[in-house]
Amino acid sequence: VSPYTNWDTAAADIHAALLVSANGDEVVVTNGAYASWTPALTLSSSVNLRSVNGASLTTVDGQNNLRCFYIANTGAVVEGFNIIKGRADFGGGAFVETGTLRHCWFSSCAATGLSVDVGMGGALYVAANGVVENCVLTGNSATNGGGGLYNAGGTVESVVARGNQSAYYGGG
């Protein structure tokens, strides 16, 4: 993504690279720990955002304050991140409205809220057009339902959920 076309001129944070990305771009993130931003890291165009060496070496931290990812384009892909301490009314770690999230780990994320329409999907909230594949969800929580994941009609494949909790239903 111009002007970040090689490692020498690489963006210092993920948000900066996403701001200049366009349909069809690939944003590659090197190893390290990255804080989330306000608002969440948002993919509203057809962008492939991936880590170089996978979730074991690349972390996005919501700092118990923010959702880490919002995916809102059918062609958008997020791949290979360790997503921790995300917090939102629903989908604390990520809200996948449409697009694909794969090969990610989620832990210590929370969906908070006391009304019936929030507090769902501690790690993930997957809307009708969202796709989640090959992810691991551990130690996440929700005040309403889906401590690990709340699926509102999307496609969820090969997801391992353990040690998640919810106040009412679907801890996972």
Side-chain angles (χ1 to χ4, degrees):
V1 176
S2 181
Y4 311 117
T5 57
N6 59 57
W7 291 119
D8 291 333
T9 62
D13 64 65
I14 301 167
H15 184 70
L18 287 176
L19 285 175
V20 297
S21 65
N23 285 332
D25 284 345
E26 179 176 51
V27 175
V28 181
V29 180
T30 194
N31 303 344
Y34 301 86
S36 194
W37 296 260
T38 302
L41 294 170
T42 300
L43 284 82
S44 56
S45 57
S46 181
V47 172
N48 182 356
L49 174 67
R50 67 176 180 87
S51 65
V52 171
N53 291 305
S56 65
L57 297 172
T58 311
T59 298
V60 174
D61 184 348
Q63 303 170 359
N64 289 317
N65 206 18
L66 306 165
R67 175 183 292 129
C68 295
F69 287 100
Y70 174 57
I71 305 168
N73 184 288
T74 303
V77 176
V78 172
E79 182 171 6
F81 292 91
N82 180 26
I83 300 164
I84 64 170
K85 300 180 194 168
R87 181 174 301 272
D89 284 347
F90 50 92
F95 176 25
V96 186
E97 182 176 341
T98 183
T100 303
L101 184 136
R102 65 170 70 107
H103 303 291
C104 290
W105 302 345
F106 290 81
S107 63
S108 302
C109 294
T112 58
L114 299 177
S115 69
V116 295
D117 59 345
V118 296
M120 297 178 289
L124 281 164
Y125 185 96
V126 185
N129 294 313
V131 176
V132 174
E133 303 168 336
N134 301 303
C135 292
V136 177
L137 320 174
T138 56
N140 303 287
S141 63
T143 56
N144 194 348
L149 178 143
Y150 186 88
N151 187 356
T155 302
V156 177
E157 298 177 350
S158 300
V159 171
V160 175
R162 63 178 165 254
N164 302 292
Q165 59 185 342
S166 173
Y168 293 104
Y169 59 91

